[in-house]
Amino acid sequence: MDYISTRGKVEKCGFIDAFLMGLANDGGLVIPSEIPVISEQKLKEWESLSYQDLMLEIFSYFTNDEIPYEDLRKLIYDSYSTFRDENVTPLKPINDSLYVLELFHGPTFAFKDVALQFMGNLYSYVATKRNEIINILGATSGDTGAAAIQGVRGKEGIRICILHPHQKVSKVQELQMTTVQDENVLNLSVKGNFDDCQQFIKELFADVDFKHKYHLRAINSINFVRILAQTVYYFYAYFQISKTKPVGKVNFSVPTGNFGNIFSGYLAKQMGLPVGKLILATNENNILERFVKEGVYMPGEFHSTYSPSMDIQIASNFERYLYYLTGKNSEKVASLMNQFRSEGKIEIAGEELLKVQADFESKGVQGKDCLQVIEKYYKQYSYLFDPHTACGVSAYEACSGDDEVCVVFATAHPAKFNESIELVHIEQTFPLEIQGLFDKTQYQTVVDNEKQQLVKQLETFFA
Ligand SMILES: *Cc1c(COP(=O)(O)O)cnc(C)c1O
């Protein structure tokens, strides 16, 4: 398997180089040159596999034997040994048409752990094997940073710096990031919003000299390995249903911000998994909903919501989908992205818009509806959703038919977002791991929303 850029100006490379490249050197995103299609018979064989063995099978199509089978196996098993549930991402039935896939059993109680525990180990493996210096730089709306830091802390040969928007992440998210004392971790708290942080990262990675001088590597969802790691649980969820009852297609409702998690579902579908509707759940920051419904991709006004990990206006993985939407036309992708930079929007119409609407359904969930869903399901089913998951459930109610089966992704544990749970007067008991954070010392540097200040911090830390 070769890896290429959505903008077509990067030479083909292998799996490990694609992993290390993160954002492609031409400013595009890395994708596999072709998507393998899994036969029905293979899918049947995979039904009974454990999460880890399933991941091993799926990754084997993409790693080109660059990682020997036994090494890959060890990397995968080590990565999920930190999870609190032996099934890694257990599936829970709520009623006949609704299942919840709990993605929050990793160290930071959000779905980002699933990919980032693995990526932390993979970076460390590559650092040792290739004798490389690896400095990870990323931006977070809260969960990615915490998960990335947990994946990297204390490991040899790698350092990590994470930018987060100052006081715009939840208390637990902030504590999970900043109570880590390891020397290879730096937290920068930027006086701006998440899009500002993301923009800095994009600019720094686009500056090829800077990127090379400081050996920068990406850990946010622009890295293809993260997308691939997330593809695994679509398969896993499907199999947990299909091995117990005959089921045709299964819908997935996915709380979405950067278009990462849902793109993994798009990939799973292209690989032959019987995915029905891919439901893109967002909050009031609904650029993606407007894109699906009207064909206009244009940032709107920024809203702070109950689901802050989805408070995103520019979805950094969107370009990957554009590549497939345009029939793998990298020139067209490059020109659309240029247009986006100069005019601030992309418009799709006619056949292409119909294609988008065949690929996705979408709902931007209002805050009050999000809270109502939390309350309703807690009363009716004694199941407590976090506000991101609640957006997924609300979108499921709007988009999935009664006679269809839908899996909603529980992307975070409710304890991570107690600020919202309190609003509906539900008292929850915190897991001990989270409770313990409140007594710890915080380590972070607050910086202005200004590139020079930021660069200075990075030059010192990564020197
Ligand atoms: C990151 C995150 C999302 C959004 O995921 P994307 O891959 O950015 O679409 C949703 N919910 C939670 C809890 C998250 O941490």
Side-chain angles (χ1 to χ4, degrees):
M1 178 78 70
D2 294 322
Y3 291 83
I4 55 174
S5 162
T6 47
R7 300 195 193 171
K9 296 274 191 300
V10 170
E11 262 186 63
K12 289 180 180 173
C13 66
F15 177 79
I16 290 178
D17 286 327
F19 168 58
L20 291 178
M21 201 184 310
L23 187 71
N25 291 338
D26 61 358
L29 297 180
V30 175
I31 42 167
S33 59
E34 61 196 294
I35 297 177
V37 176
I38 315 299
S39 69
E40 264 179 54
Q41 191 197 336
K42 241 289 111 53
L43 289 175
K44 200 78 207 152
E45 284 169 30
W46 285 1
E47 221 170 59
S48 56
L49 295 181
S50 68
Y51 190 95
Q52 290 89 337
D53 288 338
L54 178 60
M55 178 159 176
L56 193 52
E57 288 292 326
I58 292 175
F59 266 67
S60 299
Y61 282 84
F62 291 88
T63 51
N64 305 326
D65 300 326
E66 284 175 53
I67 306 173
Y69 187 83
E70 275 312 312
D71 290 0
L72 183 60
R73 193 184 143 80
K74 183 172 181 332
L75 280 169
I76 291 173
Y77 272 83
D78 285 351
S79 300
Y80 299 106
S81 65
T82 56
F83 277 55
R84 293 176 302 276
D85 193 292
E86 61 171 352
N87 295 321
V88 185
T89 64
L91 185 75
K92 306 274 167 81
I94 300 292
N95 58 39
D96 287 346
S97 66
L98 174 63
Y99 291 81
V100 174
L101 186 72
E102 295 182 346
L103 300 175
F104 53 70
H105 294 284
T108 70
F109 292 80
F111 89 92
K112 310 268 188 335
D113 286 325
V114 180
L116 295 181
Q117 282 291 304
F118 175 73
M119 285 174 73
N121 285 327
L122 186 57
Y123 273 123
S124 199
Y125 175 84
V126 173
T128 315
K129 276 260 156 154
R130 288 199 175 178
N131 208 7
E132 292 238 6
I133 301 170
I134 293 183
N135 289 328
I136 295 162
L137 176 64
T140 187
S141 55
D143 290 333
T144 301
I149 288 168
Q150 287 303 326
V152 166
R153 67 184 294 184
K155 286 188 182 145
E156 210 144 320
I158 41 181
R159 278 181 289 206
I160 184 164
C161 170
I162 293 293
L163 277 53
H164 71 263
H166 187 55
Q167 291 176 345
K168 288 201 175 70
V169 298
S170 89
K171 193 66 202 167
V172 171
Q173 288 175 325
E174 183 187 317
L175 290 169
Q176 283 179 331
M177 288 190 278
T178 60
T179 56
V180 171
Q181 201 189 350
D182 298 73
E183 261 178 31
N184 68 338
V185 175
L186 173 67
N187 278 290
L188 293 179
S189 180
V190 179
K191 291 184 178 163
N193 60 35
F194 172 69
D195 288 314
D196 297 325
C197 297
Q198 181 99 316
Q199 189 54 35
F200 285 133
I201 301 293
K202 278 215 149 186
E203 282 174 27
L204 293 170
F205 274 94
D207 182 344
V208 175
D209 290 340
F210 189 85
K211 176 176 162 179
H212 286 163
K213 182 169 176 203
Y214 292 101
H215 309 276
L216 298 187
R217 307 297 180 187
I219 201 145
N220 38 358
S221 55
I222 56 184
N223 198 303
F224 179 72
V225 173
R226 188 163 150 193
I227 299 291
L228 188 59
Q230 294 170 178
T231 300
V232 176
Y233 49 68
Y234 281 86
F235 284 86
Y236 187 72
Y238 184 88
F239 296 146
Q240 301 320 298
I241 301 172
S242 71
K243 73 183 182 193
T244 59
K245 68 177 185 192
V247 65
K249 291 185 172 173
V250 169
N251 298 340
F252 287 88
S253 180
V254 185
T256 305
N258 266 315
F259 208 81
N261 211 0
I262 189 111
F263 184 81
S264 297
Y266 180 79
L267 184 61
K269 193 170 181 176
Q270 304 309 307
M271 288 172 73
L273 188 71
V275 173
K277 296 173 184 162
L278 276 173
I279 302 165
L280 209 155
T282 64
N283 56 30
E284 284 101 327
N285 298 291
N286 67 342
I287 179 170
L288 292 169
E289 181 194 25
R290 285 180 282 118
F291 173 69
V292 170
K293 292 193 168 147
E294 298 153 24
V296 181
Y297 181 76
M298 180 175 72
E301 201 186 320
F302 179 85
H303 299 273
S304 286
T305 73
Y306 302 128
S307 43
S309 299
M310 306 195 298
D311 289 351
I312 286 165
Q313 292 290 335
I314 301 169
S316 56
N317 272 286
F318 180 67
E319 182 171 342
R320 284 201 168 94
Y321 175 61
L322 270 187
Y323 178 77
Y324 295 100
L325 180 64
T326 57
K328 305 190 183 179
N329 184 339
S330 30
E331 274 174 26
K332 180 122 188 248
V333 172
S335 97
L336 284 171
M337 292 312 291
N338 273 335
Q339 182 195 330
F340 182 66
R341 213 172 31 197
S342 58
E343 295 167 27
K345 71 171 170 183
I346 292 173
E347 274 183 88
I348 303 283
E351 298 248 316
E352 274 183 338
L353 180 56
L354 290 177
K355 192 154 173 251
V356 173
Q357 292 169 345
D359 288 335
F360 300 102
E361 302 215 2
S362 183
K363 185 179 180 201
V365 179
Q366 299 295 308
K368 67 171 178 15
D369 296 330
C370 167
L371 295 184
Q372 220 169 31
V373 161
I374 295 176
E375 214 176 358
K376 173 176 147 188
Y377 281 81
Y378 187 66
K379 279 203 182 118
Q380 209 168 331
Y381 300 101
S382 305
Y383 193 101
L384 184 60
F385 292 121
D386 98 286
H388 302 80
T389 311
C391 290
V393 174
S394 179
Y396 141 81
E397 287 185 344
C399 305
S400 189
D402 288 342
D403 52 351
E404 298 171 12
V405 172
C406 187
V407 172
V408 173
F409 284 171
T411 51
H413 189 288
K416 247 188 135 161
F417 298 97
N418 194 46
E419 289 91 340
S420 308
I421 305 294
E422 277 178 339
L423 294 176
V424 287
H425 311 291
I426 296 171
E427 224 177 283
Q428 59 175 326
T429 0
F430 280 27
L432 287 178
E433 295 90 339
I434 290 187
Q435 193 53 51
L437 291 172
F438 289 87
D439 306 325
K440 293 189 177 166
T441 314
Q442 287 182 256
Y443 304 88
Q444 62 180 327
T445 308
V446 180
V447 292
D448 288 334
N449 190 3
E450 199 254 319
K451 193 164 163 192
Q452 266 334 94
Q453 262 197 46
L454 202 93
V455 168
K456 227 161 114 192
Q457 292 287 339
L458 296 180
E459 285 173 344
T460 313
F461 181 64
F462 287 142

Short mmCIF file of all heavy atoms in Angstrom, two decimals, residues 110-112 141-144 173 221 226 230 254-262 309-310 312 317 386 388-389 411-412 416-417, ligand 1:
data_model
loop_
_atom_site.label_atom_id
_atom_site.label_comp_id
_atom_site.label_asym_id
_atom_site.label_seq_id
_atom_site.Cartn_x
_atom_site.Cartn_y
_atom_site.Cartn_z
N ALA A 110 -12.23 9.38 27.11
CA ALA A 110 -12.85 9.84 25.86
C ALA A 110 -12.32 9.00 24.70
O ALA A 110 -11.31 8.31 24.83
CB ALA A 110 -12.55 11.31 25.62
N PHE A 111 -13.00 9.05 23.57
CA PHE A 111 -12.68 8.11 22.49
C PHE A 111 -11.30 8.31 21.89
O PHE A 111 -10.75 7.40 21.28
CB PHE A 111 -13.75 8.19 21.39
CG PHE A 111 -13.49 9.21 20.31
CD1 PHE A 111 -12.80 8.84 19.15
CD2 PHE A 111 -13.92 10.51 20.44
CE1 PHE A 111 -12.56 9.77 18.15
CE2 PHE A 111 -13.68 11.45 19.45
CZ PHE A 111 -13.00 11.08 18.30
N LYS A 112 -10.71 9.49 22.10
CA LYS A 112 -9.40 9.75 21.50
C LYS A 112 -8.33 8.76 22.00
O LYS A 112 -7.36 8.50 21.30
CB LYS A 112 -8.95 11.18 21.81
CG LYS A 112 -9.98 12.26 21.50
CD LYS A 112 -9.84 12.81 20.14
CE LYS A 112 -10.67 14.01 19.74
NZ LYS A 112 -11.92 14.33 20.37
N SER A 141 -9.12 20.67 21.48
CA SER A 141 -10.29 21.33 22.07
C SER A 141 -10.55 20.66 23.42
O SER A 141 -11.57 20.90 24.04
CB SER A 141 -11.48 21.20 21.13
OG SER A 141 -11.72 19.85 20.83
N GLY A 142 -9.62 19.83 23.86
CA GLY A 142 -9.72 19.25 25.20
C GLY A 142 -9.34 17.79 25.26
O GLY A 142 -8.42 17.40 25.97
N ASP A 143 -10.01 16.96 24.49
CA ASP A 143 -9.83 15.52 24.65
C ASP A 143 -8.58 14.98 23.94
O ASP A 143 -7.91 14.09 24.46
CB ASP A 143 -11.07 14.78 24.16
CG ASP A 143 -12.24 15.00 25.10
OD1 ASP A 143 -12.00 15.26 26.29
OD2 ASP A 143 -13.39 14.94 24.64
N THR A 144 -8.28 15.50 22.77
CA THR A 144 -7.10 15.01 22.05
C THR A 144 -5.84 15.23 22.87
O THR A 144 -5.00 14.34 22.99
CB THR A 144 -6.91 15.74 20.70
OG1 THR A 144 -8.07 15.54 19.93
CG2 THR A 144 -5.71 15.20 19.95
N GLN A 173 -10.94 18.08 31.66
CA GLN A 173 -10.00 18.03 30.53
C GLN A 173 -8.72 18.80 30.87
O GLN A 173 -7.61 18.33 30.63
CB GLN A 173 -10.63 18.68 29.29
CG GLN A 173 -11.72 17.86 28.65
CD GLN A 173 -12.38 18.60 27.50
OE1 GLN A 173 -12.53 19.83 27.53
NE2 GLN A 173 -12.76 17.87 26.47
N SER A 221 -6.08 14.84 14.48
CA SER A 221 -6.75 13.87 13.61
C SER A 221 -6.33 14.00 12.15
O SER A 221 -6.84 13.30 11.30
CB SER A 221 -8.26 13.97 13.76
OG SER A 221 -8.69 15.29 13.53
N ARG A 226 -4.41 7.68 12.85
CA ARG A 226 -5.49 7.87 13.82
C ARG A 226 -6.84 7.53 13.18
O ARG A 226 -7.67 6.85 13.80
CB ARG A 226 -5.47 9.33 14.29
CG ARG A 226 -6.42 9.53 15.40
CD ARG A 226 -6.12 10.82 16.13
NE ARG A 226 -7.35 11.33 16.67
CZ ARG A 226 -7.50 12.54 17.14
NH1 ARG A 226 -6.48 13.38 17.12
NH2 ARG A 226 -8.64 12.92 17.62
N GLN A 230 -9.39 4.29 14.28
CA GLN A 230 -10.80 4.49 14.62
C GLN A 230 -11.74 3.68 13.73
O GLN A 230 -12.90 3.47 14.07
CB GLN A 230 -11.13 5.99 14.55
CG GLN A 230 -10.39 6.77 15.63
CD GLN A 230 -10.47 8.28 15.47
OE1 GLN A 230 -9.94 9.00 16.30
NE2 GLN A 230 -11.09 8.77 14.42
N VAL A 254 -22.59 9.71 14.80
CA VAL A 254 -21.26 10.04 15.30
C VAL A 254 -21.14 11.52 15.68
O VAL A 254 -21.25 12.39 14.81
CB VAL A 254 -20.20 9.71 14.21
CG1 VAL A 254 -18.80 9.93 14.73
CG2 VAL A 254 -20.37 8.27 13.71
N PRO A 255 -20.93 11.80 16.96
CA PRO A 255 -20.68 13.19 17.38
C PRO A 255 -19.40 13.69 16.68
O PRO A 255 -18.35 13.08 16.82
CB PRO A 255 -20.46 13.07 18.90
CG PRO A 255 -21.14 11.79 19.29
CD PRO A 255 -20.93 10.87 18.12
N THR A 256 -19.54 14.75 15.92
CA THR A 256 -18.46 15.13 14.99
C THR A 256 -18.02 16.56 15.16
O THR A 256 -18.83 17.46 15.35
CB THR A 256 -18.97 14.95 13.55
OG1 THR A 256 -19.45 13.63 13.39
CG2 THR A 256 -17.88 15.21 12.54
N GLY A 257 -16.70 16.77 15.10
CA GLY A 257 -16.15 18.12 15.13
C GLY A 257 -15.23 18.31 13.95
O GLY A 257 -15.52 19.02 12.99
N ASN A 258 -14.10 17.62 14.00
CA ASN A 258 -13.08 17.73 12.96
C ASN A 258 -13.29 16.79 11.78
O ASN A 258 -12.42 16.66 10.94
CB ASN A 258 -11.70 17.46 13.56
CG ASN A 258 -11.03 18.75 13.97
OD1 ASN A 258 -11.04 19.72 13.22
ND2 ASN A 258 -10.45 18.77 15.14
N PHE A 259 -14.41 16.09 11.77
CA PHE A 259 -14.71 15.16 10.69
C PHE A 259 -13.80 13.93 10.73
O PHE A 259 -13.70 13.19 9.75
CB PHE A 259 -14.55 15.87 9.33
CG PHE A 259 -15.42 15.31 8.23
CD1 PHE A 259 -16.74 15.70 8.12
CD2 PHE A 259 -14.93 14.41 7.31
CE1 PHE A 259 -17.55 15.19 7.11
CE2 PHE A 259 -15.73 13.89 6.29
CZ PHE A 259 -17.04 14.29 6.19
N GLY A 260 -13.13 13.70 11.88
CA GLY A 260 -12.19 12.59 11.96
C GLY A 260 -12.89 11.26 12.18
O GLY A 260 -12.79 10.34 11.36
N ASN A 261 -13.63 11.18 13.27
CA ASN A 261 -14.30 9.96 13.64
C ASN A 261 -15.28 9.52 12.55
O ASN A 261 -15.36 8.36 12.20
CB ASN A 261 -15.04 10.20 14.96
CG ASN A 261 -15.13 8.95 15.82
OD1 ASN A 261 -14.65 7.90 15.44
ND2 ASN A 261 -15.78 9.08 16.96
N ILE A 262 -16.00 10.47 11.98
CA ILE A 262 -16.98 10.09 10.95
C ILE A 262 -16.28 9.71 9.65
O ILE A 262 -16.74 8.83 8.92
CB ILE A 262 -18.02 11.22 10.71
CG1 ILE A 262 -19.17 10.75 9.80
CG2 ILE A 262 -17.39 12.46 10.09
CD1 ILE A 262 -20.46 10.63 10.51
N SER A 309 -15.95 19.78 22.85
CA SER A 309 -15.02 19.09 21.95
C SER A 309 -15.50 19.12 20.51
O SER A 309 -14.80 18.68 19.60
CB SER A 309 -14.82 17.64 22.39
OG SER A 309 -14.28 17.61 23.69
N MET A 310 -16.70 19.62 20.32
CA MET A 310 -17.21 19.77 18.95
C MET A 310 -17.41 21.25 18.60
O MET A 310 -18.05 21.56 17.61
CB MET A 310 -18.53 19.01 18.78
CG MET A 310 -18.42 17.55 19.20
SD MET A 310 -19.78 16.54 18.64
CE MET A 310 -21.17 17.29 19.45
N ILE A 312 -16.16 23.55 16.88
CA ILE A 312 -15.17 23.67 15.83
C ILE A 312 -15.85 24.25 14.60
O ILE A 312 -16.96 23.85 14.26
CB ILE A 312 -14.57 22.27 15.54
CG1 ILE A 312 -13.62 21.88 16.68
CG2 ILE A 312 -13.86 22.23 14.20
CD1 ILE A 312 -13.25 20.44 16.70
N ASN A 317 -10.38 17.40 8.83
CA ASN A 317 -10.35 16.20 7.99
C ASN A 317 -11.24 16.29 6.76
O ASN A 317 -11.31 15.36 5.97
CB ASN A 317 -10.82 14.99 8.79
CG ASN A 317 -9.68 14.35 9.50
OD1 ASN A 317 -8.86 13.68 8.88
ND2 ASN A 317 -9.59 14.60 10.78
N ASP A 386 -23.00 11.61 28.13
CA ASP A 386 -22.31 12.89 28.21
C ASP A 386 -22.91 13.78 27.10
O ASP A 386 -23.60 13.27 26.21
CB ASP A 386 -20.79 12.69 28.02
CG ASP A 386 -20.36 12.96 26.60
OD1 ASP A 386 -20.66 12.11 25.74
OD2 ASP A 386 -19.80 14.02 26.33
N HIS A 388 -21.77 15.22 24.42
CA HIS A 388 -21.41 14.92 23.02
C HIS A 388 -22.21 13.73 22.52
O HIS A 388 -22.80 13.76 21.44
CB HIS A 388 -19.91 14.61 22.90
CG HIS A 388 -19.04 15.72 23.38
ND1 HIS A 388 -18.80 15.91 24.72
CD2 HIS A 388 -18.39 16.71 22.74
CE1 HIS A 388 -18.04 16.97 24.86
NE2 HIS A 388 -17.78 17.47 23.68
N THR A 389 -22.24 12.70 23.36
CA THR A 389 -23.00 11.50 23.02
C THR A 389 -24.48 11.85 22.86
O THR A 389 -25.16 11.35 21.96
CB THR A 389 -22.82 10.43 24.11
OG1 THR A 389 -21.42 10.29 24.37
CG2 THR A 389 -23.40 9.10 23.68
N THR A 411 -18.74 9.12 22.94
CA THR A 411 -17.37 9.59 22.74
C THR A 411 -16.70 10.04 24.03
O THR A 411 -15.49 10.23 24.05
CB THR A 411 -17.31 10.71 21.70
OG1 THR A 411 -18.27 11.71 22.05
CG2 THR A 411 -17.62 10.18 20.30
N ALA A 412 -17.48 10.23 25.09
CA ALA A 412 -16.86 10.60 26.37
C ALA A 412 -17.68 10.06 27.53
O ALA A 412 -18.88 9.82 27.40
CB ALA A 412 -16.71 12.11 26.49
N LYS A 416 -16.66 13.55 32.58
CA LYS A 416 -15.76 14.54 31.98
C LYS A 416 -16.46 15.87 31.75
O LYS A 416 -15.82 16.89 31.58
CB LYS A 416 -15.28 13.99 30.63
CG LYS A 416 -13.81 13.69 30.67
CD LYS A 416 -13.24 13.34 29.35
CE LYS A 416 -11.94 14.08 29.20
NZ LYS A 416 -11.07 13.50 28.17
N PHE A 417 -17.78 15.84 31.71
CA PHE A 417 -18.52 17.07 31.39
C PHE A 417 -19.62 17.31 32.41
O PHE A 417 -20.77 17.57 32.06
CB PHE A 417 -19.07 16.98 29.95
CG PHE A 417 -17.96 16.87 28.95
CD1 PHE A 417 -17.57 15.64 28.46
CD2 PHE A 417 -17.26 18.01 28.55
CE1 PHE A 417 -16.51 15.54 27.56
CE2 PHE A 417 -16.20 17.91 27.67
CZ PHE A 417 -15.82 16.69 27.17
C1 LIG B 1 -12.96 14.93 19.64
C2 LIG B 1 -14.31 14.64 20.12
C3 LIG B 1 -15.39 14.62 19.24
C4 LIG B 1 -15.25 14.96 17.78
O1 LIG B 1 -14.46 14.04 17.07
P1 LIG B 1 -13.85 14.41 15.64
O2 LIG B 1 -12.97 13.26 15.31
O3 LIG B 1 -13.11 15.69 15.82
O4 LIG B 1 -14.99 14.56 14.72
C5 LIG B 1 -16.62 14.25 19.76
N1 LIG B 1 -16.80 13.97 21.07
C6 LIG B 1 -15.78 14.00 21.95
C7 LIG B 1 -16.04 13.71 23.38
C8 LIG B 1 -14.50 14.33 21.50
O5 LIG B 1 -13.49 14.34 22.37
#
